[in-house]
Amino acid sequence: MATVQSLAKRFDDTIYNYMAAVEKSLIPSREQDEEMVRKAVFLVRHDGVQILSFNEERLLLEAIVKDAHTVKVLLNFDKMTAACACPQDEMCRHKLAVIFALYQKVGSLSEWVAKWRSRPSDPVAALTGKRSPEQWTALIRNAWREPIPDYTTRNYFYFEQMYEGRLKNALSFVPLEREWKVFYRTYAHLISLMEVWETYIAGTEEVHHSFFKTWFDDEMHALRDLLEQLRVQHRTFEADDFLKHLRGLVRSFIQIRDGSFSQRFSVYRLFWANLFTTNKLRLDEISAFDRPDSRIEAFFAILLEDDVTVKKIAPDETPDWVQLAVLAEENEHVQALTAILMAVKPHVRTFLFEGLYTQYRHQYVRVLSRLFSQIHLSEADWEDLFKQFGHYGLPAYSTYLIEKQLYKQWAELHHLHNSPLYFAEECGLKAVQEAAPDYALPLFHRYAMDYLEERSRPSYKQAVRIWKRMKAACKKSGQMEFWKAYMTEIRTQNKRLRALQEEIEKGNLL
């Protein structure tokens, strides 16, 4: 390879282009950028950069940077790109150090740094001197000025790294005044979410879809915490313009039609349920829509305590309506709860088995059971509902049968599904044993036989415990003659199992 000096002179135009890109992307008033430049200069001046090779055919320059750990950097002179082995997204001090090391061969690095630091017409620096919602928005969106790489939709870990880096850049301009910090952070999280939205939605359709959805849940938690702080925080008249602008941002977000209404609606509800809480604001908001979606209409009707009318809903809208039913429950709006749930009922099975991951089905069956229990349903409606729940609805169906004193059906249900002992206990076995011991006997027999088949002393002890409960049930129902005949038969059939015989005698079962 030619000397670094000759290589730099040969590709001086390329190096100047790299420096122009650096000057355009880094802002001296931003703390992270100033620190990155300072550390890169330190690495260059302390011989931390070593050029290893240059591929003439592909125009690839390979270098290493001796930082806390040695990292490899590649510059592609043809495509004007830079890649580093460190985890930092976009520009990092290692790439910058290699570019500075090359520039030092064709220009004065000290002069460039001094000129960069004294840049007079820095638009972002000008913005930091003012406080208005428009300028906050411009500051935050400036952190997202570079296009989001396509590969982040296919790899969540690159996406997360990119998002955290850019959000951190946006938050570097957080005001010093305590009363404005939460306000600015709320703006930063919301606008960053809006900027990355298309990438997030595309990511939910790729291989790492579950990670993208978990990330969204985490962002919703972060926003909820910020809004809770903002709601109770004392605000001056100066904050009114910021709140008005924030309402406009949230409304513009929900009005975009791209097939992700459900996720956008969850963000929209978060703001209007937690921050914008006066009836006047809510009335003004609903009137700002030309033709609001029926879910938005129902949402504001619940908040304003108006009657809710729900026409036939589409199956894919069910998750939103379930959340609205939860809101109606929280607001004790029985009319809205009834109207929504009756519209949801035909789609429960589709919602559970096609719209949810397996691990969430038990949770939502419990939620739906609780909601439906608060409205009037006929027995036929309940039967239909439990059929839609499938086996996930066994606990709820069991509770319903016990409440209706349908103990025979309860026992048949758990025989049909081969419910293990712990599950039958959770579903009310003790209550059935107390109220109708006859129906519990066949279940106890099955559980004892299951333990018997394991052929070990610990399992025999478990069987004896179950037989003790069975004996108590027989005593309560006046069937002690049956019990004696039953235990005699058990001992006769298993007379060669000495350990079992000993445990039966210890248990005083006869």
Side-chain angles (χ1 to χ4, degrees):
M1 184 184 80
T3 64
V4 177
Q5 183 78 40
S6 62
L7 185 67
K9 287 184 177 179
R10 180 180 159 199
F11 290 97
D12 59 345
D13 285 346
T14 302
I15 294 169
Y16 280 116
N17 287 337
Y18 269 117
M19 292 298 288
V22 168
E23 186 173 0
K24 180 181 176 182
S25 62
L26 301 184
I27 302 166
S29 60
R30 190 156 54 199
E31 185 180 344
Q32 290 96 328
D33 291 358
E34 163 62 27
E35 182 182 12
M36 189 189 303
V37 169
R38 179 166 45 80
K39 288 184 176 180
V41 170
F42 177 86
L43 289 169
V44 172
R45 288 177 176 165
H46 288 78
D47 297 323
V49 178
Q50 181 181 348
I51 308 299
L52 297 181
S53 64
F54 182 73
N55 187 311
E56 293 283 352
E57 185 178 341
R58 300 172 63 192
L59 298 182
L60 282 180
L61 181 138
E62 182 179 352
I64 58 170
V65 178
K66 299 173 183 176
D67 200 356
H69 300 283
T70 300
V71 294
K72 183 180 290 186
V73 175
L74 290 175
L75 298 187
N76 188 322
F77 283 6
D78 181 35
K79 297 181 179 179
M80 282 294 296
T81 58
C84 179
C86 80
Q88 188 170 335
D89 183 40
E90 299 177 347
M91 185 54 72
C92 66
R93 62 179 178 270
H94 310 117
K95 299 175 192 175
L96 204 54
V98 175
I99 293 170
F100 283 175
L102 293 172
Y103 178 73
Q104 196 168 238
K105 304 298 181 182
V106 294
S108 170
L109 182 58
S110 298
E111 288 180 9
W112 183 91
V113 172
K115 183 180 176 182
W116 176 77
R117 283 176 173 159
S118 62
R119 199 158 63 189
S121 56
D122 185 350
V124 176
L127 287 175
T128 59
K130 304 174 184 179
R131 180 182 291 130
S132 74
E134 293 78 15
Q135 284 147 341
W136 274 10
T137 303
L139 271 173
I140 296 161
R141 285 185 170 150
N142 184 68
W144 292 90
R145 64 192 179 277
E146 297 295 330
I148 298 174
D150 290 339
Y151 59 78
T152 58
T153 63
R154 298 185 296 274
N155 191 313
Y156 166 75
F157 306 101
Y158 288 128
F159 170 85
E160 182 185 39
Q161 190 180 82
M162 177 272 301
Y163 182 81
E164 289 180 356
R166 296 192 184 186
L167 178 61
K168 185 179 178 182
N169 283 343
L171 290 173
S172 67
F173 295 105
V174 68
L176 296 175
E177 298 90 345
R178 180 180 176 183
E179 64 270 21
W180 290 104
K181 287 181 182 292
V182 178
F183 236 134
Y184 182 85
R185 290 193 180 105
T186 303
Y187 264 74
H189 275 270
L190 175 62
I191 293 172
S192 294
L193 188 63
M194 295 168 70
E195 291 288 331
V196 80
W197 193 259
E198 289 184 9
T199 306
Y200 154 67
I201 292 298
T204 60
E205 299 170 358
E206 293 289 346
V207 65
H208 290 154
H209 53 83
S210 61
F211 290 104
F212 280 94
K213 290 177 180 177
T214 301
W215 168 85
F216 179 64
D217 290 340
D218 291 342
E219 278 301 296
M220 290 291 285
H221 284 303
L223 268 175
R224 186 177 289 107
D225 290 343
L226 288 168
L227 293 177
E228 181 60 28
Q229 294 176 55
L230 205 54
R231 185 177 65 83
V232 300
Q233 179 177 291
H234 175 71
R235 296 194 293 265
T236 63
F237 287 116
E238 190 181 357
D240 290 347
D241 286 341
F242 289 84
L243 286 168
K244 182 179 179 181
H245 188 76
L246 195 57
R247 289 195 297 274
L249 287 173
V250 174
R251 187 187 309 137
S252 67
F253 185 60
I254 193 64
Q255 287 178 320
I256 297 173
R257 300 184 180 278
D258 65 348
S260 65
F261 178 88
S262 185
Q263 295 98 322
R264 291 178 187 273
F265 188 39
S266 61
V267 177
Y268 186 81
R269 292 198 313 270
L270 191 63
F271 276 85
W272 279 98
N274 294 280
L275 183 59
F276 310 130
T277 55
T278 68
N279 284 354
K280 183 182 183 305
L281 285 177
R282 289 166 174 174
L283 286 167
D284 290 345
E285 178 68 11
I286 192 63
S287 64
F289 291 90
D290 292 332
R291 296 178 61 187
D293 186 282
S294 58
R295 287 162 284 184
I296 294 177
E297 287 183 316
F299 172 64
F300 281 107
I302 294 169
L303 295 179
L304 295 167
E305 299 182 358
D306 293 336
D307 284 352
V308 173
T309 303
V310 187
K311 298 177 182 178
K312 188 176 180 180
I313 68 174
D316 61 345
E317 296 176 0
T318 306
D320 298 333
W321 288 105
V322 171
Q323 294 305 315
L324 288 173
V326 172
L327 180 66
E329 177 194 32
E330 292 171 353
N331 285 267
E332 299 181 355
H333 197 321
V334 179
Q335 184 277 330
L337 183 62
T338 303
I340 292 170
L341 290 179
M342 294 311 291
V344 162
K345 194 169 77 69
H347 307 298
V348 166
R349 183 172 183 81
T350 302
F351 167 63
L352 291 173
F353 292 93
E354 296 180 21
L356 292 175
Y357 291 120
T358 305
Q359 62 265 34
Y360 299 121
R361 289 173 186 162
H362 278 296
Q363 172 192 340
Y364 271 95
V365 163
R366 288 194 296 270
V367 170
L368 289 168
S369 299
R370 186 189 75 239
L371 294 172
F372 276 101
S373 68
Q374 297 176 56
I375 68 172
H376 175 73
L377 286 181
S378 67
E379 290 195 14
D381 285 332
W382 276 114
E383 291 289 340
D384 174 63
L385 193 61
F386 289 127
K387 284 180 182 177
Q388 293 192 69
F389 286 167
H391 65 279
Y392 294 99
L394 283 178
Y397 195 17
S398 298
T399 302
Y400 170 78
L401 292 173
I402 290 173
E403 288 174 354
K404 296 292 184 180
Q405 299 183 359
L406 300 172
Y407 304 114
K408 182 174 183 292
Q409 289 90 324
W410 185 97
E412 290 172 347
L413 180 72
H414 287 277
H415 272 298
L416 178 65
H417 289 277
N418 289 319
S419 299
L421 177 59
Y422 79 89
F423 188 67
E425 296 278 17
E426 291 176 5
C427 293
L429 176 59
K430 187 174 181 180
V432 175
Q433 181 183 350
E434 286 293 322
D438 286 3
Y439 297 126
L441 294 178
L443 279 171
F444 284 136
H445 169 70
R446 197 190 86 201
Y447 296 140
M449 291 301 101
D450 289 342
Y451 279 117
L452 226 59
E453 289 178 5
E454 294 180 16
R455 293 293 192 268
S456 67
R457 187 175 288 273
S459 66
Y460 297 152
K461 289 181 179 180
Q462 292 295 334
V464 167
R465 290 191 183 101
I466 293 171
W467 279 326
K468 284 182 177 180
R469 294 180 64 179
M470 193 173 174
K471 179 181 179 181
C474 287
K475 187 174 182 180
K476 185 169 185 178
S477 60
Q479 299 188 65
M480 289 306 292
E481 290 302 319
F482 162 77
W483 169 250
K484 291 176 182 178
Y486 172 80
M487 281 310 303
T488 300
E489 183 66 20
I490 290 292
R491 296 194 71 173
T492 301
Q493 289 182 3
N494 300 280
K495 59 185 178 183
R496 294 185 179 180
L497 301 178
R498 188 176 65 183
L500 173 63
Q501 301 288 343
E502 290 174 358
E503 292 301 326
I504 290 174
E505 288 176 6
K506 286 180 186 177
N508 193 27
L509 293 176
L510 288 173

